[in-house]
Amino acid sequence: MSALDPPGGRRAVAVWGIGVAVYFVAVIFRTSLGVAGLDAADRFHVNASALATFSLLQLLVYAGMQIPVGLMVDRLGTKKVLTLGAVLFTVGQLGFALSPSYDMALAARALLGCGDAMTFISVLRLGTRWFPARRGPLMAQLAGLVGMAGNLVSTLVLAPVLHGAGWVAAFGGSAVAGLVVLVPLVLFLRDHPEGHGPPSPARGTAASGGFVRRQIRASWSEPGTRLGLWVHFTTQFPAMVFLLLWGMPFLVEAQGLSRTTAGGLLTLVVASHMALGLVYGQIVGRRQSARIPLALGTVGLTALLWASVLVYPGQRAPMWLLVTLCAVLGSCGPASMIGFDFARPANPAERQGTASGITNMGGFIASMTTLLAVGVLLDATGDDYRVAFSTVFVLEAFGTAQILRLRGRALARERERRPSAPVAEPVPAVAACPLPEPGGRTAR
């Protein structure tokens, strides 16, 4: 351990735990719409396209905030950004509970997405400021697993409360959790241990528009950054779309399952995600050459299972096939983290935040596109889920083509750097950008 490394220890765990608790609540709020999609359609009297707009807007805000949030954390510090995020997503959840109209509910969801976007990058920064560098990958893994636990709470706790006590009680009551984590955040969280603060940036440098443009341009010029974005784009969205919004309606309306059974399948996606994240992390950590085969293998297997379900003879697929689909969808989140394993060695330390933000946008852009396309096609075809979910194959094919196009250049650049500067040890591919949400990463 370097003499300049943070010490870690119990206090570090306590401070980091406060940040992770905020992230945990943010994931619960983010995923809450997934288990309430059908209820939201009835409450606000909207069709499938309008219902998709809830999640689309939330993801649009989340994706658009990734790079700005990274710059804010560098400039303002973790505590200020995390506090602002907690306030915004709590107000957004409460506003969603009390909104009397569709337009107000949309505004509340956008506010929630804005606050949610400030949590994960802040938690990653806490891990690097409070723990030795060698512990960084582990802390990122653990943060991702805690986020997945937030997904489970949405399905196992919020869904029964929603169907038993009603809309206002479920969403308004859950908003209290935001206030609960806000108190220790304000009172006890610190950006870094004493004597281990980051160096002060040169005056005006971090805030200058020229600096931001240079960071983005330099990061994007690296083939590894672009490859990371397309890996994230191609692998993450099938599970995110399923969990975020369309999984519950598909299983209930198209497959004839009860809401309880459908909720169990959504929980299976999350449980599979948590288990496979550890497996993917071990494989990628030990063999960098496995990154491309693992990512493309996940894409291929996901496409195969989706095709099997959608073209199965008859109106409904058998339960064993749906269970297999959900188990495979759990691999999408861990596979998407492989994208960061390409962006990280392609960029120096001073561009890591920008490169990670660019990479993290990939899956959310694909998810937004698919969420909207599925809603539009459902309305246009009279709720034909087979046609609507065909958009999954289009985006997977497009993303795969980009991965194959960029992989040679990106890997060659990695090899060029190795003799003079060792490639940074990869963070295991666990869901650091949370899947979205049972019934509703991530995100990430």
Side-chain angles (χ1 to χ4, degrees):
M1 181 174 68
S2 166
L4 298 178
D5 265 350
R10 292 183 179 179
R11 189 180 180 210
V13 172
V15 172
W16 179 81
I18 294 172
V20 169
V22 176
Y23 173 57
F24 173 76
V25 172
V27 173
I28 295 174
F29 290 1
R30 181 201 312 171
T31 62
S32 59
L33 181 60
V35 297
L38 298 175
D39 301 84
D42 292 339
R43 180 177 178 84
F44 298 113
H45 310 291
V46 295
N47 59 17
S49 297
L51 182 62
T53 304
F54 277 125
S55 296
L56 181 66
L57 178 61
Q58 185 178 337
L59 286 182
L60 179 63
V61 172
Y62 188 100
M65 288 290 292
Q66 290 306 294
I67 295 176
V69 166
L71 295 170
M72 287 172 63
V73 170
D74 289 338
R75 187 65 174 171
L76 302 177
T78 303
K79 181 174 183 176
K80 291 180 180 178
V81 176
L82 204 54
T83 301
L84 178 59
V87 170
L88 290 178
F89 67 60
T90 300
V91 173
Q93 184 78 342
L94 183 60
F96 193 61
L98 303 177
S99 294
S101 67
Y102 174 72
D103 290 341
M104 291 186 66
L106 268 182
R109 209 67 192 169
L111 195 64
L112 191 157
C114 185
D116 179 22
M118 297 181 179
T119 58
F120 188 69
I121 293 178
S122 297
V123 170
L124 289 182
R125 174 55 65 91
L126 279 180
T128 61
R129 292 300 183 202
W130 279 91
F131 293 92
R134 59 185 173 80
R135 300 277 300 277
L138 174 62
M139 306 318 294
Q141 286 187 12
L142 294 177
L145 292 178
V146 170
M148 287 302 98
N151 282 308
L152 292 177
V153 170
S154 291
T155 301
L156 301 179
V157 178
L158 187 61
V161 173
L162 175 65
H163 301 142
W167 182 276
V168 174
F171 283 94
S174 65
V176 175
L179 299 176
V180 170
V181 296
L182 188 59
V183 173
L185 168 59
V186 172
L187 294 180
F188 303 114
L189 190 134
R190 298 292 180 269
D191 287 350
H192 49 76
E194 186 176 352
H196 292 273
S200 300
R203 182 180 299 275
T205 299
S208 74
F211 171 79
V212 173
R213 287 192 296 270
R214 287 193 300 272
Q215 287 286 93
I216 296 174
R217 186 184 303 115
S219 296
W220 183 254
S221 69
E222 291 289 347
T225 304
R226 301 198 300 276
L227 178 60
L229 179 145
W230 286 112
V231 168
H232 201 268
F233 176 102
T234 312
T235 54
Q236 187 192 48
F237 80 93
M240 178 169 280
V241 168
F242 195 80
L243 287 171
L244 192 60
L245 183 61
W246 292 122
M248 181 70 77
F250 170 74
L251 294 172
V252 173
E253 295 179 348
Q255 298 301 315
L257 303 181
S258 67
R259 293 193 183 203
T260 301
T261 303
L265 288 176
L266 294 175
T267 302
L268 174 61
V269 178
V270 177
S272 173
H273 180 126
M274 296 174 72
L276 291 175
L278 299 176
V279 176
Y280 276 48
Q282 290 297 319
I283 294 174
V284 174
R286 293 176 181 178
R287 295 191 62 184
Q288 290 281 282
S289 61
R291 290 174 296 176
I292 290 290
L294 200 55
L296 293 181
T298 300
V299 174
L301 189 58
T302 302
L304 176 64
L305 265 297
W306 258 123
S308 300
V309 169
L310 296 180
V311 304
Y312 193 85
Q315 292 297 314
R316 299 169 183 172
M319 179 58 70
W320 67 265
L321 186 55
L322 294 176
V323 169
T324 305
L325 170 66
C326 291
V328 169
L329 285 176
S331 67
C332 292
S336 72
M337 299 311 297
I338 296 174
F340 296 98
D341 291 315
F342 288 110
R344 187 177 303 108
N347 292 272
E350 61 269 20
R351 290 207 307 263
Q352 289 295 313
T354 304
S356 295
I358 292 173
T359 300
N360 201 28
M361 291 171 62
F364 291 98
I365 292 171
S367 298
M368 288 187 290
T369 303
T370 309
L371 281 169
L372 181 59
V374 170
V376 170
L377 288 173
L378 285 175
D379 288 338
T381 60
D383 293 337
D384 189 331
Y385 281 91
R386 291 182 174 180
V387 174
F389 274 112
S390 65
T391 53
V392 170
F393 308 117
V394 176
L395 268 73
E396 285 189 326
F398 180 71
T400 298
Q402 298 302 315
I403 293 172
L404 295 176
R405 180 177 66 87
L406 289 165
R407 64 174 179 171
R409 277 180 284 169
L411 294 177
R413 291 276 287 174
E414 270 192 25
R415 287 192 294 269
E416 289 172 6
R417 285 187 170 91
R418 266 186 205 127
S420 56
V423 176
E425 181 181 353
V427 175
V430 72
C433 259
L435 266 181
E437 330 121 0
R441 321 217 5 119
T442 150
R444 101 248 242 178

